[in-house]
Amino acid sequence: MTQAHSDVAGVQVSTEHYIGGRRVGSPTTFEDRSPLDWSWKLADIARGDADTADAAVSAATDAFADWAALGADGRAEHLNRLADVIEANSDQVAEVECADMGMLLKSLRARVVARGAANLRNYAGLAVAHEERVWSSKGTDNRVIRMPAGPAVIITPWNAPWLLSTWKLAPALAAGNPVILKPAEWSPLSASLLADFADEAGLPAGVLNVVQGIGEEVGAALVSDPRVARISFTGSPEAAREIGQAAARNIVPFTAELGGKGPLIVFDDADLDAAAKKAAGQYDDGGQVCLAGTRLLVHESLREDFLERFHAHVDDEVLGDSRDPDTTIGPLIHPEHLARVDGFVQRAREAGDRIVRGGQRAEVDSSNDGLWYEPTLIEPASNGHEIVQHEVFGPVLTFQTFTSEEQAIELANSTAYGLSGIVYTTSHERAERVGRAVRAGTVWVNTFLVRDLTAPFGGCGISGIGREGGDFALEFHADLKTLQILEDSTS
Ligand code: NAD
């Protein structure tokens, strides 16, 4: 049986599921370890199964009618109260997420945890502000009504669990859909804290359920349940294909935010030092960032100058314990992931690609078993090689040059992904032209990761289906209805 709580960095975290407003265990567990030191076992977590999934969907189904009937204003009050509780406990979340995922403690404290509360407040406000579209046509008064759809399953990946859980559950709850949240098995703890916060905030039982376990087990059972009305997934294209098939069988709308292989394009009119610094910054969080610009595409005339500045900036990076304020690059999440990242690098070496820097596991602190990998730069022998075409999801960048704007765009658009792109240029016309030509859900010019929560967010190609953010997510979580009333037929 599960032990009910585990002490993680001084915070008591429940290791059980949260279903229908109650903590529930499972007969078996799985181990959760810290990437900061793999010998540090954080917890034995309840390993959900088909029965767990059934109980969670039942709880959400039972909660649906009352939650929907509350209306946008009533739900907004709950969401804002949950945001208050998060803000009051933000340091706990930062400590736990850092130990569990390895994200830098200073980033968690400065930005990431607060974004969780901001996500909730943003959607509380958007849902309340929404006005129904009303118009007259063909002798009828018309309006478009958003009906809450029903229980929503939300499945998140290990790399940004807190950020993505709150990002995805806020629009579902605001739209009137109770949620079953399943975090990734490699970083399950912040979702458990979120359940405690929901309890403390007085969210009605069954409106937020958190289920722990393995994707192919409890995750697959959740997405196959015909009572589920929406599936919102962030993770790999491989899992999305499985989940998409389950969604298709039940004819359930499904959004998928998937991997990326974004270009970072540096034109010959760019602020070169800013571009080189931002390129080096793509190693942040160990490169485990879906939006990262991992393919450096640099104008041929800048090759030496860019590389010199890039290396200087990377030399300033500090690999280390994510709790240390001097650290800029933390460890990778799991030994299996480290082996996967290294596999890409070694295959690139064998394929004749040039390892410009890095290329192996880094030993940072011999007193522990942390999972660091050297910031790695590879100049591929061919654009078709695996290292250019596949997401590595680690501190591994590729370096290629171009001689014309057309070639830069062609290279940028030459993978099956299309999540994000970064462009460095000082020409406004070029910024507009290239920004429009790069096939991606988001393109940043002379900046990176600036987010407006009301803007659409998602990917093209194998980077995903659908858009989140702003009204786009609220619309996804609604069943839209057109109501037509014959003019002058009612009084
Ligand atoms: P993953 O696909 O292995 O797992 C993601 C989640 O899906 C986990 O909770 C897992 O348990 C669950 N899962 C796996 N198989 C399942 C199945 N058959 N049915 C139901 N659930 C299942 O991904 P990961 O390794 O956790 O995360 C890394 C990937 O996520 C990378 O590709 C990264 O680019 C992507 N990602 C994308 C975004 C984005 O916004 N586009 C953001 C972060 C991460």
Side-chain angles (χ1 to χ4, degrees):
M1 279 297 280
T2 328
Q3 284 222 320
H5 283 86
S6 195
D7 183 315
V8 177
V11 180
Q12 290 297 307
V13 187
S14 170
T15 55
E16 298 185 319
H17 316 292
Y18 179 73
I19 296 175
R22 291 178 40 240
R23 287 290 177 180
V24 185
S26 269
T28 57
T29 59
F30 64 95
E31 259 186 18
D32 181 31
R33 290 182 173 271
S34 175
L36 304 181
D37 180 350
W38 199 245
S39 61
W40 181 13
K41 183 164 125 180
L42 299 173
D44 287 310
I45 306 282
R47 183 170 180 151
D49 55 17
D51 289 341
T52 319
D54 181 66
V57 179
S58 295
T61 305
D62 291 347
F64 176 49
D66 286 349
W67 184 244
L70 264 186
D73 290 298
R75 294 192 293 266
E77 279 178 30
H78 281 287
L79 264 59
N80 284 324
R81 258 202 307 277
L82 179 54
D84 294 341
V85 177
I86 288 172
E87 280 160 358
N89 291 283
S90 61
D91 215 49
Q92 290 189 16
V93 181
E95 293 280 354
V96 167
E97 186 94 321
C98 175
D100 199 19
M101 189 272 151
M103 194 177 277
L104 297 184
L105 188 58
K106 63 185 174 198
S107 319
L108 284 157
R109 284 191 172 141
R111 290 187 309 277
V112 178
V113 178
R115 248 293 289 284
N119 286 334
L120 290 157
R121 293 198 196 287
N122 173 53
Y123 274 104
L126 279 178
V128 168
H130 172 67
E131 284 176 13
E132 284 174 5
R133 184 180 161 212
V134 179
W135 77 106
S136 172
S137 144
K138 302 191 175 179
T140 58
D141 286 328
N142 295 257
R143 59 189 60 219
V144 178
I145 294 169
R146 288 180 182 174
M147 297 184 292
V153 166
I154 289 175
I155 298 186
T156 50
W158 50 259
N159 72 315
W162 172 258
L163 200 89
L164 290 168
S165 299
T166 51
W167 166 246
K168 292 169 92 65
L169 73 86
L173 294 180
N177 298 342
V179 165
I180 304 113
L181 168 66
K182 197 210 84 67
E185 47 271 48
W186 285 355
S187 55
L189 299 182
S190 59
S192 189
L193 289 181
L194 194 57
D196 284 344
F197 300 157
D199 209 68
E200 190 180 332
L203 212 65
V207 167
L208 172 63
N209 306 278
V210 175
V211 163
Q212 302 285 8
I214 313 300
E216 293 78 1
E217 299 173 5
V218 73
L222 284 171
V223 297
S224 303
D225 191 308
R227 293 170 294 174
V228 167
R230 292 292 184 273
I231 300 170
S232 168
F233 171 72
T234 299
S236 64
E238 294 73 31
R241 288 189 180 98
E242 298 294 323
I243 296 168
Q245 288 183 38
R249 273 195 297 277
N250 290 335
I251 320 209
V252 170
F254 158 61
T255 53
E257 302 288 349
L258 309 176
K261 191 74 185 175
L264 188 156
I265 312 173
V266 185
F267 285 101
D268 54 1
D269 59 6
D271 175 340
L272 191 57
D273 201 56
K277 188 165 188 221
K278 196 59 81 181
Q282 304 306 303
Y283 293 127
D284 289 0
D285 285 325
Q288 302 167 121
V289 177
C290 57
L291 295 163
T294 51
R295 290 182 294 136
L296 309 184
L297 306 177
V298 178
H299 194 275
E300 176 61 36
S301 65
L302 305 174
R303 165 188 275 273
E304 300 310 325
D305 209 359
F306 175 86
L307 283 174
E308 194 181 313
R309 288 166 196 249
F310 172 79
H311 286 308
H313 286 297
V314 181
D315 290 344
D316 286 343
E317 300 278 347
V318 181
L319 271 73
D321 189 309
S322 305
R323 293 164 295 190
D324 183 337
D326 293 332
T327 297
T328 60
I329 301 181
L332 301 188
I333 180 84
H334 194 283
E336 272 176 37
H337 187 57
L338 190 137
R340 181 178 174 275
V341 168
D342 191 52
F344 274 106
V345 174
Q346 300 322 325
R347 287 194 297 280
R349 204 188 289 273
E350 284 155 21
D353 301 329
R354 189 168 77 87
I355 312 295
V356 181
R357 74 177 291 155
Q360 59 185 351
R361 184 173 181 169
E363 192 177 297
V364 170
D365 178 355
S366 56
S367 68
N368 78 20
D369 205 6
L371 304 170
W372 290 273
Y373 200 84
E374 288 182 352
T376 297
L377 186 69
I378 299 179
E379 187 165 10
S382 159
N383 188 55
H385 280 186
E386 181 191 57
I387 200 67
V388 186
Q389 294 297 323
H390 287 272
E391 182 188 49
V392 177
F393 218 49
V396 178
L397 308 180
T398 56
F399 176 80
Q400 294 167 278
T401 59
F402 61 85
T403 52
S404 67
E405 190 177 300
E406 294 68 32
Q407 193 191 4
I409 293 167
E410 196 182 316
L411 284 169
N413 291 342
S414 68
T415 76
Y417 298 91
L419 188 61
S420 61
I422 308 168
V423 179
Y424 272 83
T425 176
T426 50
S427 154
H428 186 73
E429 274 123 56
R430 176 171 271 158
E432 285 277 349
R433 223 171 27 238
V434 178
R436 285 169 192 275
V438 171
R439 190 169 162 273
T442 305
V443 176
W444 286 282
V445 180
N446 301 327
T447 185
F448 178 51
L449 281 190
V450 178
R451 288 287 306 282
D452 177 339
L453 300 183
T454 63
F457 176 81
C460 313
I462 63 165
S463 289
I465 300 174
R467 291 294 179 269
E468 297 185 329
D471 278 345
F472 302 91
L474 287 175
E475 211 129 282
F476 168 73
H477 281 287
D479 278 324
L480 295 188
K481 167 161 55 192
T482 305
L483 175 64
Q484 290 187 290
I485 302 176
L486 186 65
E487 275 170 10
D488 303 325
S489 67
T490 56
S491 58

